[in-house]
Amino acid sequence: MSDWKWDYNPDETYIAGGLPPGVVAEVERIATELAALGPDAVRVGRPFDREGGLREFDILGGRGFISFLAVPRQQCVYVCGVTWYG
């Protein structure tokens, strides 16, 4: 198990405010799994050809995606945005 954590950046209201509760639950579930990966989270999602930087990961069968940063120095995955197509 990893010592990494996850958080919203800048905050939950800004990122997840107005989203359906099921979408927020899925985002938080994925963020928890990304944090469990620890330093390997820098290679998950798009872009596929490099690691680090702002990453994207599809949610709920492609009906949206999350943008996140995995920051090894802070041992944290930051959810920076959620795009939901509905």
Side-chain angles (χ1 to χ4, degrees):
M1 188 74 184
S2 170
D3 290 335
W4 281 46
K5 61 187 183 316
W6 73 271
D7 199 0
Y8 289 102
N9 184 11
D11 61 41
E12 182 179 3
T13 303
Y14 183 82
I15 300 297
L19 291 173
V23 174
V24 175
E26 179 68 0
V27 167
E28 293 180 355
R29 183 190 69 78
I30 291 172
T32 300
E33 290 185 11
L34 289 168
L37 287 173
D40 291 331
V42 299
R43 292 186 289 277
V44 173
R46 295 180 300 265
F48 300 114
D49 59 343
R50 61 183 161 82
E51 61 183 56
L54 190 64
R55 319 280 306 162
E56 294 178 348
F57 193 82
D58 288 339
I59 58 172
L60 296 169
R63 295 189 308 177
F65 64 90
I66 64 171
S67 299
F68 66 94
L69 275 173
V71 184
R73 197 160 134 188
Q74 296 176 354
Q75 294 188 333
C76 190
V77 172
Y78 293 101
V79 176
C80 301
V82 177
T83 300
W84 175 241
Y85 303 121

